[in-house]
Amino acid sequence: MELTKLGYKIKPMAPTAEQLGLRAVQIGLISERDLRAAWAELGTKNVDLQTFTQLLIRKELLTNYQIKRLEDGATTRFFFGDYKVLYLVGRGTFARVYRAVSKTGEVVAIKVLRTKYNDNPDSCMQFEREGELGKSLQHPNIVSIKDVYSQGNVHFIAMEFIEGQSLREFINIRKKLTAEEAIPIMRDIAAGLQFAFEHGMTHRDLKLTNVMITSRGVAKLADFGFATVDQSLQNDDPTADIPNPRTLDYAGLERVTNVLKDDTRSDIYFAGCIYYHLLCGEPPLYETKDRLERTNPSRFTNVPPLQDKDASIPLPICMIVNKAMALDVRKRYQTPGEMLRDIKLLEKQIKDNPGKSLDPSILRVNRPAMIEHSIMVVERDDKLREVFRDALKKMGYRVLVTADAERAIERFYQDKNVADCILLNAQNIGEEAVRVFNEVRQLDQENHFIPAVLLLAKNQKFWSEMSEQDDYRVVVQMPVTMKQLALVLTKLLSKKFK
């Protein structure tokens, strides 16, 4: 009986030096000219395999990873598109990551979807979509995506290769950082999050391993959006109450705080967790592999205050961490930009007054709690009214709803402070929504503007030209996600209350 049938793997016979060189040329790893030069340097082809491969490695013609696969008889997956694989960097639950080089010599990281997911068209489409979305996030503090490839059974994303280490590796060595050392890292994290927020994206898997520290000390956020892909790939039951492990922490927080899935304030909370860990050397959320424990509300409500963990941490920094991690989302930083502002203020204080105590009076954390902004929603469909009401309330807004566009504008004439913004869905209201949208401008007074958002269905695009748009009145074309709508509202209200 054959050994393979008994479950034994038979290791292929090692090739000779000449056979391995020929394989490398046939696959395209090296050129015939390079191979001839190697033989010429050795003076003979009659050399042992180790001597030959050491020469190829020394001349940087092949890597140890490539040689090992050639010795094992592999003939595929040395190339992905126009990128040549140099070696394996790491294995993830849904993808493998390789260091590779392009035809132009640029070193990149290649994230390749694992073979077992290639037969799932929805998974492949989502992997590609998240990659394309990530390409728009070109920022110094975000690992940039350079190329997205999805054809046949090959799906990969080419990204900027970071010469450095993850923040987890960094802190495992350093244990904890001083206030001065942690500030530039948190400044970079907040800057990357703010840029993504301005482009309608949240990270949704912010943790130490997804922050890369370059050899020059710059922090870069990695894996934007891929927590969603990972959850889609691994979760056979999309209605399951307990989500994929990769997003368990976010799911637990969202249950405690009653916010929507893609609320940017959840990213802010976990940025605060990172800051906490850097300063005291311990994570604020106790670590466990138990799925139910990970989402237990007590895990979030019983976090020891940072100042209790280490009394030597300056009070203003504790205040920033506490605000970022506030369980009441209305008391948390509302955008990463707000957190970034406070971090920069402290950074400037430290630079201008080295060795002196930090002054907390200039920080945003000392301002009164956020005033709850109100949105008037004009929607005729009963079910959609409830959808808007629930979603906007979870975003932290006070919500007024009405089915009558005429009644809505009358209420503004009676009291211009009845709501801070009006949202009209023309999909079910029709042209009357456009007329009311245009009439809102008449309510403007000096230093008092009423922001308005007009939602148009696909077959209503022609009404966009009839709509009087400006800095405070915008038209949004359906379909639109609540995350995108939240971004529009945040921008309009920030202008109104600037």
Side-chain angles (χ1 to χ4, degrees):
M1 183 178 291
E2 295 179 14
L3 290 176
T4 52
K5 292 182 179 179
L6 294 174
Y8 294 98
K9 290 184 178 180
I10 301 175
K11 187 176 181 180
M13 183 179 297
T16 64
E18 190 171 3
Q19 287 172 333
L20 186 137
L22 181 59
R23 286 181 192 174
V25 170
Q26 290 173 335
I27 291 169
L29 291 173
I30 61 175
S31 67
E32 290 186 10
R33 180 178 178 181
D34 288 331
L35 181 59
R36 286 196 300 268
W39 293 132
E41 185 166 334
L42 290 168
T44 177
K45 294 182 181 180
N46 188 25
V47 295
D48 62 85
L49 183 61
Q50 184 176 3
T51 300
F52 178 59
T53 55
Q54 286 178 344
L55 173 66
L56 296 179
I57 292 171
R58 188 172 70 250
K59 294 175 69 67
E60 297 185 351
L61 293 175
L62 292 178
T63 65
N64 279 314
Y65 173 81
Q66 293 167 336
I67 289 171
K68 176 66 170 61
R69 297 200 72 231
L70 287 170
E71 289 178 351
D72 290 343
T75 58
T76 62
R77 301 181 81 81
F78 286 97
F79 290 87
F80 290 101
D82 293 333
Y83 301 94
K84 179 168 67 174
V85 172
L86 299 178
Y87 56 79
L88 180 69
V89 175
R91 295 180 176 89
T93 52
F94 75 102
R96 287 186 172 90
V97 180
Y98 301 90
R99 177 169 175 154
V101 62
S102 70
K103 287 184 176 180
T104 61
E106 181 183 16
V107 176
V108 298
I110 301 289
K111 184 185 289 286
V112 183
L113 189 64
R114 295 183 73 134
T115 305
K116 64 179 179 179
Y117 299 120
N118 288 339
D119 294 333
N120 186 334
D122 291 339
S123 298
C124 295
M125 285 178 61
Q126 190 169 6
F127 182 77
E128 181 183 10
R129 182 169 64 250
E130 293 294 343
E132 292 292 348
L133 284 172
K135 284 177 70 174
S136 66
L137 298 181
Q138 300 296 319
H139 186 271
N141 300 120
I142 297 176
V143 176
S144 63
I145 291 178
K146 300 177 178 296
D147 193 12
V148 180
Y149 183 96
S150 183
Q151 292 185 22
N153 290 325
V154 179
H155 310 273
F156 70 83
I157 292 169
M159 305 174 293
E160 172 186 10
F161 189 88
I162 304 300
E163 297 286 358
Q165 58 191 331
S166 74
L167 188 52
R168 175 171 287 282
E169 294 168 327
F170 181 80
I171 201 64
N172 282 346
I173 296 171
R174 296 292 306 276
K175 305 306 179 186
K176 65 179 183 178
L177 306 181
T178 65
E180 291 82 0
E181 291 169 332
I183 278 181
I185 293 175
M186 293 311 304
R187 178 202 62 214
D188 290 350
I189 290 173
L193 288 176
Q194 177 62 17
F195 184 81
F197 168 71
E198 291 170 354
H199 287 73
M201 290 188 69
T202 54
H203 192 286
R204 192 144 184 85
D205 193 23
L206 191 59
K207 56 188 178 183
L208 295 175
T209 51
N210 279 339
V211 179
M212 301 300 297
I213 306 297
T214 73
S215 56
R216 296 186 177 184
V218 177
K220 289 176 174 276
L221 303 178
D223 277 3
F224 257 99
F226 285 105
T228 305
V229 179
D230 197 8
Q231 183 170 350
S232 170
L233 293 176
Q234 293 189 65
N235 196 349
D236 294 329
D237 179 8
T239 63
D241 186 48
I242 300 300
N244 183 275
R246 190 176 171 95
T247 54
L248 275 174
D249 290 340
Y250 273 72
L253 176 67
E254 288 155 1
R255 289 181 184 180
V256 171
T257 55
N258 194 32
V259 299
L260 290 175
K261 178 180 173 181
D262 288 315
D263 195 312
T264 192
R265 293 171 296 184
S266 296
D267 277 343
I268 293 170
Y269 179 91
F270 286 104
C273 288
I274 290 175
Y275 209 171
Y276 184 113
H277 195 158
L278 296 183
L279 292 167
C280 74
E282 297 178 16
L285 305 176
Y286 65 84
E287 296 185 347
T288 174
K289 293 183 179 180
D290 186 281
R291 294 164 68 87
L292 291 176
E293 278 296 303
R294 289 274 292 278
T295 56
N296 191 323
S298 65
R299 189 163 175 254
F300 300 89
T301 56
N302 295 334
V303 173
L306 180 60
Q307 53 270 33
D308 291 352
K309 298 290 291 184
D310 188 343
S312 68
I313 299 172
L315 176 61
I317 291 179
C318 291
M319 293 167 69
I320 291 177
V321 174
N322 292 343
K323 186 174 181 70
M325 294 183 63
L327 283 184
D328 185 341
V329 292
R330 296 170 300 178
K331 295 180 180 179
R332 201 179 300 165
Y333 289 112
Q334 298 302 292
T335 68
E338 291 182 8
M339 185 177 181
L340 177 61
R341 173 190 176 277
D342 278 349
I343 293 172
K344 284 184 173 180
L345 286 172
L346 285 188
E347 185 175 37
K348 187 174 187 304
Q349 274 199 36
I350 291 173
K351 182 179 179 181
D352 294 345
N353 303 287
K356 293 186 178 181
S357 299
L358 297 174
D359 178 12
S361 64
I362 62 171
L363 300 181
R364 188 178 293 271
V365 294
N366 286 310
R367 298 185 179 184
M370 181 191 75
I371 298 173
E372 191 177 44
H373 295 314
S374 55
I375 310 291
M376 179 176 286
V377 176
V378 185
E379 171 58 68
R380 284 187 180 163
D381 184 272
D382 293 340
K383 290 183 179 179
L384 280 178
R385 277 205 302 274
E386 292 309 307
V387 169
F388 278 116
R389 186 201 300 273
D390 293 344
L392 292 171
K393 283 180 71 175
K394 287 183 178 180
M395 293 177 198
Y397 295 114
R398 184 169 62 88
V399 184
L400 297 79
V401 294
T402 179
D404 190 334
E406 279 292 338
R407 176 58 182 151
I409 198 70
E410 285 177 10
R411 293 185 66 183
F412 275 101
Y413 277 119
Q414 294 166 4
D415 179 6
K416 290 183 174 59
N417 294 313
V418 66
D420 298 315
C421 178
I422 183 170
L423 173 66
L424 302 113
N425 186 6
Q427 185 174 5
N428 296 308
I429 299 173
E431 193 171 354
E432 185 182 0
V434 182
R435 185 185 60 76
V436 171
F437 175 81
N438 291 338
E439 193 173 344
V440 171
R441 184 189 292 243
Q442 299 177 24
L443 298 167
D444 289 348
Q445 295 176 349
E446 185 176 358
N447 296 324
H448 187 93
F449 302 90
I450 306 294
V453 178
L454 176 64
L455 299 179
L456 296 181
K458 285 184 177 180
N459 61 351
Q460 296 172 332
K461 287 183 179 180
F462 59 94
W463 280 342
S464 180
E465 296 180 1
M466 298 168 51
S467 306
E468 298 178 8
Q469 303 175 55
D470 56 30
D471 289 344
Y472 293 90
R473 262 72 56 166
V474 298
V475 171
V476 176
Q477 194 69 53
M478 300 283 273
V480 63
T481 65
M482 282 298 173
K483 179 173 65 174
Q484 293 166 333
L485 185 58
L487 179 61
V488 171
L489 292 172
T490 299
K491 287 183 176 180
L492 288 177
L493 290 168
S494 64
K495 290 178 181 177
K496 176 183 174 74
F497 293 101
K498 188 174 181 180

